[in-house]
Amino acid sequence: MRRRHAYGAVGLGVVTVATSVLLAGTAFAANTAPDPATGESAATTAVRSQALVPGTPCSVTAKACVDLDSQRAWLIQDGTVVRGPVNVASGGKTAPTPVGHDLHVYLKDIDHVSGESFTNGVGDPMPYSVFFEDGGIAFHEGNPEAASGGCIHLAADDAKAWYDYLQMGDTVQVVKASEEFAARGQSYDGPTYGFGGVRAWEAEHSGDNGSGDNGSGDSGSGSGDG
């Protein structure tokens, strides 16, 4: 899912799609310039000046938080967790999910079909898709124990909750907890699974889920997002 999916068959109006893409492009362009003092993006610097939501590595401005280290995610309202942590699977080594501190929901499609991954010539389903990152990266229903092609896999109930809760323009933060805590001068003692799904890491490391080096997690896509 490193490229945008084809939206022609999803039943969305032209105006809706165009507005969504415009929103995404505006958001990404506004937050890519590096801060001269730190070398980080302006968005990263701004987020790290804000308080963390207790129990998460994300700031109080996030509506959804993903930790690529622990392979967990949360929904947040006004700085308080309203759902989570839940297990997720991010992209594997060959197609990792990118870190982003100020991403925004730009498209929702409850019955999205992949335009890149096919089974017997038919596009693979991606139910409850919520797109938030340029390149077609989305939350969607998928195997939370198998690496994706860049998206965030959620179990069925969680995918529905993410779809129902998140609205157009809502802020999404995708981070690595170890990096966030270190940048704030704090220690991180949580699990560091690395790329992909938790089960892939555990298989490689004989079930040891303590913090340590990153696992490959490159176990294939559970829902066909490529």
Side-chain angles (χ1 to χ4, degrees), residues 4 6 26 33 35 42 45 50 52 58 62 67-68 79 92 114 130 136 166 182 214:
R4 287 207 184 282
T26 300
D35 185 297
T45 300
Q50 302 162 358
L52 290 176
C58 295
D67 176 22
L68 298 176
S114 177
V130 180
L166 291 173
N214 290 345

Side-chain angles (χ1 to χ4, degrees), residues 99-184:
V99 167
H101 289 82
D102 191 29
L103 308 172
H104 297 275
V105 174
Y106 66 86
L107 180 68
K108 296 173 64 176
D109 183 8
I110 197 169
D111 293 315
H112 191 72
V113 176
S114 177
E116 298 179 6
S117 181
F118 302 87
T119 300
N120 297 324
V122 178
D124 291 318
M126 294 168 52
Y128 299 108
S129 284
V130 180
F131 292 87
F132 61 87
E133 166 67 290
D134 197 21
I137 306 299
F139 296 108
H140 67 84
E141 181 181 334
N143 185 352
E145 298 180 356
S148 74
C151 288
I152 300 296
H153 284 176
L154 291 159
D157 288 349
D158 293 326
K160 185 178 186 303
W162 255 246
Y163 185 90
D164 290 343
Y165 179 76
L166 291 173
Q167 304 301 314
M168 296 289 288
D170 278 355
T171 300
V172 176
Q173 294 176 16
V174 180
V175 301
K176 296 179 180 179
S178 57
E179 294 179 358
E180 295 307 302
F181 281 88
R184 294 167 181 264

